[in-house]
């Protein structure tokens, strides 16, 4: 055996990258390998059926649930001891659902109060009354799917407070109005003094919730998620948003995500005792916001959030309405964005609006030259009005020229063949190219000829740059059939560009390397020629002879 594989730290790193079947084989190699492979195998458990099968065999009962074939004995728990201490995270869903009698047998026969004593994360998407037996004082992260019947929620939250006092992250997932459990949620977060992260569905940052969380001394993150499994509340619950903060509010908060209007967010950030240490801010407005509201928001950011590094603003989009060509005052302009250029720490900006940006190439040149340290910039790649934009593929060049740290760029462009910069070999090497770009987000940008677009992008994009396309609009809002068809056609074309881009980029890189070698050879020949000419001038004309170099 190689001496390298005898180093525990290196062996553990190797095992982390292997699949379950490989680690199951590794567990049978030697005692050392067995211990380390079993640690990896049972670190994260996604199947209680498999875990409890170590105690006793399970058989299918009825059409969908499983139960033990016999009563559990103390010897079963002795055998289980080898595995239960390895579990660090448990996720349970209704797939391979266990009959409630299994949990009764576990609770009755266990020889230790803590079934999984070293587990620090619990994710539960099943009957809430069954998860209590897994709670213990060392639990740090808890994610729960709450049913529409909230009758058991108050009792569950009391169990969480009493059984898991060290919880630092709570993640609640549901699809009903937060008003149904608002008081219970407030009691829960108020009873967990070590909370650092709170994750809720959209439309749940109500006045009372924000006031309650503002008093948590260790809270660092208050956010929502867009994932389908996270669920969502009711937009009407956040319409009347007027929290009153007290001295010392949000002392540790640095990451804040809310679904409130821009005006409400402005009032929160400019109110007395507002959070002053924010480095990440995400606001998703349930209403269609105007450019003046966006401009007002941008104007207060440099003063209200001087430490801000990442800003995301999302205005409500309605793809179910047929839009006419917007007027200039309906669109975001450079004057709207200019205040953000004064933010010294801002490196990431993303916003979505109903209408495309009204920007010229000179405007993008000013943004790029004023913001060389930007790392992520996504400017309205998926507007509801998709028929026209002033920006072409030329709009990418200022950022390639002036923003060397840019890793993600998103623009809504008109990438038609008539607007594609020349791909003539004589000018190919004059085009600037992105040095760090990993994702180019095109959203629903207009496109005709996939090959011509891919050919141009291959001149300015790195080898492993990916194309992001499509929309992530709220699916609860109905789409026009015409809009759906347009999005589908454009996504197919940008998908073709994504297929072509790696090969073309690789060819471009090889072409650059060959050109570089050719340039070096030409330079070497030029130097040799100059030396030869100098010697020729020194010795004068030579007849039937040569000059020794």
């Amino acid at each position: 055996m190689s001496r390298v594989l005898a180093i525990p730290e290196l062996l553990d790193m190797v095992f982390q990258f292997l699949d379950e079947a490989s680690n199951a084989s590794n567990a049978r190699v030697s005692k050392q390998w067995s211990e380390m492979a079993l640690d990896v195998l049972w670190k994260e458990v996604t199947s209680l059926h498999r875990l409890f099968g170590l105690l006793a065999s399970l058989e299918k009962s009825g059409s969908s649930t499983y139960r033990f074939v016999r009563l559990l004995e103390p010897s079963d728990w002795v055998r289980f001891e080898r595995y239960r201490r390895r579990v660090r995270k448990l996720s349970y869903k209704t797939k391979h659902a266990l009959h409630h009698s299994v949990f009764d047998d576990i609770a009755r026969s266990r020889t230790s109060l803590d079934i999984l004593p070293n587990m620090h994360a619990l994710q539960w998407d099943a009957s809430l009354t069954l998860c209590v037996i897994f709670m213990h004082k060392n639990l740090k992260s808890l994610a729960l799917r709450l049913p529409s019947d909230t009758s058991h929620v108050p009792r569950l939250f009391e169990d969480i407070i009493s059984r898991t006092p060290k919880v630092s992250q709570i993640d609640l997932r549901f699809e009903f109005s937060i008003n149904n459990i608002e008081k219970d949620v407030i009691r829960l977060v108020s009873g967990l003094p070590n909370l650092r992260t709170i994750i809720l569905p959209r439309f749940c940052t109500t006045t009372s919730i924000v006031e309650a969380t503002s008093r948590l001394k260790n809270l660092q993150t208050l956010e929502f998620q867009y994932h389908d499994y996270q669920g969502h509340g009711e937009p009407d619950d956040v319409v009347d948003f007027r929290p009153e903060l007290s001295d010392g509010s949000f002392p540790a908060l640095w990451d804040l995500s809310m679904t409130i209007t821009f005006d409400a967010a402005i009032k929160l950030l400019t109110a007395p005792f507002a959070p002053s240490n924010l480095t990440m801010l995400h606001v998703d407005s349930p209403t269609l916001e105007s450019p003046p509201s966006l401009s007002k928001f941008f104007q207060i950011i440099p003063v209200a959030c001087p430490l801000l590094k990442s800003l995301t603003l999302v205005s409500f989009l309605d793809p179910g309405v047929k839009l006419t060509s917007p007027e200039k005052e309906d669109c975001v302009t450079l004057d709207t964005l200019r205040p953000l250029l004064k933010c010294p720490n801002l490196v990431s900006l993303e916003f979505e609006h109903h209408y495309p940006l009204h920007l010229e190439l000179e405007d993008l040149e000013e943004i790029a030259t004023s913001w060389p340290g930007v790392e992520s910039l996504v400017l309205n790649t998926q507007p509801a009005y998709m028929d026209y934009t002033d920006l072409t593929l030329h709009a990418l060049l200022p950022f390639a020229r002036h923003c060397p740290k840019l890793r993600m760029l998103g623009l809504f462009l008109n990438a038609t063949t008539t607007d594609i910069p020349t791909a003539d070999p004589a000018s190919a090497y004059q085009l600037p190219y992105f040095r760090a770009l990993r994702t180019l987000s095109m959203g629903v940008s207009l496109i005709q000829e996939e090959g011509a677009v891919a050919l141009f992008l291959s001149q300015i994009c790195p080898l492993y740059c990916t194309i992001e396309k499509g929309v992530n609009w709220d699916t609860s809002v109905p789409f026009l059939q015409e809009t759906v068809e347009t999005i589908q056609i454009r996504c197919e074309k940008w998908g073709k560009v994504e297929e072509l881009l790696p090969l073309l980029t690789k060819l471009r890189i090889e072409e650059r390397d060959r050109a570089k070698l050719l340039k070096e050879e030409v330079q070497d020949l030029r130097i040799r020629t100059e030396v030869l000419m100098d010697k020729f001038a020194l010795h004068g004309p030579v007849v039937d002879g040569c000059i020794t170099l």
Side-chain angles (χ1 to χ4, degrees), residues 262-275:
F262 290 173
D263 286 339
I266 292 171
K267 292 177 181 178
L268 173 66
L269 295 175
T270 57
F273 314 117

Side-chain angles (χ1 to χ4, degrees), residues 34 181 284 341 433 443 465 523:
S34 178
I181 58 171
D284 185 348
L341 303 181
Y433 60 91
C465 180
Q523 183 67 18

Side-chain angles (χ1 to χ4, degrees), residues 26-41:
N26 292 335
R28 296 190 293 269
V29 171
S30 67
K31 184 175 181 180
Q32 180 191 17
W33 279 39
S34 178
E35 291 299 312
M36 301 189 70
L38 288 175
D39 284 343
V40 175
L41 280 171

Side-chain angles (χ1 to χ4, degrees), residues 317-391:
L317 301 175
D318 189 357
V321 177
K322 179 63 177 177
L323 301 175
T324 57
S325 179
E327 300 295 333
K328 181 178 178 180
E329 56 268 19
D330 296 325
C331 302
V332 172
T333 65
L334 178 62
D335 291 335
T336 309
L337 300 173
R338 190 173 278 120
L340 288 181
L341 303 181
K342 300 178 182 178
C343 297
N345 299 302
L346 193 65
V347 296
S348 176
L349 172 64
E350 178 178 355
F351 77 86
E352 297 179 11
H353 192 255
H354 210 58
Y355 293 109
L357 301 176
H358 188 80
L359 296 175
E360 304 292 340
L361 186 60
E362 295 77 9
D363 299 331
L364 296 181
E365 189 76 29
E366 179 178 340
I367 293 174
T369 54
S370 303
W371 207 358
V374 65
E375 298 175 7
S376 177
L377 183 63
V378 182
L379 300 179
N380 205 25
T381 60
Q382 45 184 334
Y385 179 80
M386 303 181 294
D387 296 339
Y388 179 78
T389 174
D390 293 324
L391 299 179

Side-chain angles (χ1 to χ4, degrees), residues 231-242:
H232 58 83
E234 295 293 336
D236 292 342
D237 294 341
V238 296
V239 172
D240 186 20
F241 183 80
R242 293 178 294 179

Side-chain angles (χ1 to χ4, degrees), residues 42 49-57 76 79-80 83-84:
W42 295 103
H49 180 278
R50 189 180 71 166
L51 180 66
F52 286 165
L54 298 172
L55 287 165
S57 298
D76 299 325
R79 183 176 60 256
F80 188 68
Y83 303 95
R84 72 187 188 100

Side-chain angles (χ1 to χ4, degrees), residues 331-493:
C331 302
V332 172
T333 65
L334 178 62
D335 291 335
T336 309
L337 300 173
R338 190 173 278 120
L340 288 181
L341 303 181
K342 300 178 182 178
C343 297
N345 299 302
L346 193 65
V347 296
S348 176
L349 172 64
E350 178 178 355
F351 77 86
E352 297 179 11
H353 192 255
H354 210 58
Y355 293 109
L357 301 176
H358 188 80
L359 296 175
E360 304 292 340
L361 186 60
E362 295 77 9
D363 299 331
L364 296 181
E365 189 76 29
E366 179 178 340
I367 293 174
T369 54
S370 303
W371 207 358
V374 65
E375 298 175 7
S376 177
L377 183 63
V378 182
L379 300 179
N380 205 25
T381 60
Q382 45 184 334
Y385 179 80
M386 303 181 294
D387 296 339
Y388 179 78
T389 174
D390 293 324
L391 299 179
T392 67
L393 286 171
H394 287 276
L396 301 174
L397 301 182
F399 298 101
R401 185 179 297 112
H402 302 292
C403 304
K405 298 180 180 180
L406 193 61
R407 299 180 60 84
M408 181 170 185
L409 176 63
L411 295 171
F412 176 60
L413 305 177
N414 183 1
T416 57
T417 53
T418 57
D419 295 316
I420 295 177
T422 177
D424 183 72
S427 63
Y429 304 108
Q430 299 174 10
L431 292 176
Y433 60 91
F434 293 99
R435 300 183 182 277
L437 194 68
R438 290 294 176 267
T439 304
L440 183 62
S441 179
M442 291 289 95
V444 291
S445 293
L446 288 79
I447 180 173
Q448 290 182 1
E449 296 294 334
E450 307 96 318
V453 173
L455 190 62
F456 166 70
L457 292 179
S458 69
Q459 301 176 64
I460 64 174
C461 292
L463 181 58
Y464 298 105
C465 180
T466 59
I467 302 293
E468 194 176 81
K469 68 275 186 189
V471 298
N472 55 8
W473 294 338
D474 188 350
T475 54
S476 64
V477 179
F479 292 16
L480 290 175
Q481 184 60 33
E482 179 184 349
T483 300
V484 174
E485 293 174 357
T486 300
I487 294 174
Q488 189 173 24
I489 292 173
R490 294 183 186 178
C491 285
E492 290 176 357
K493 288 182 174 293

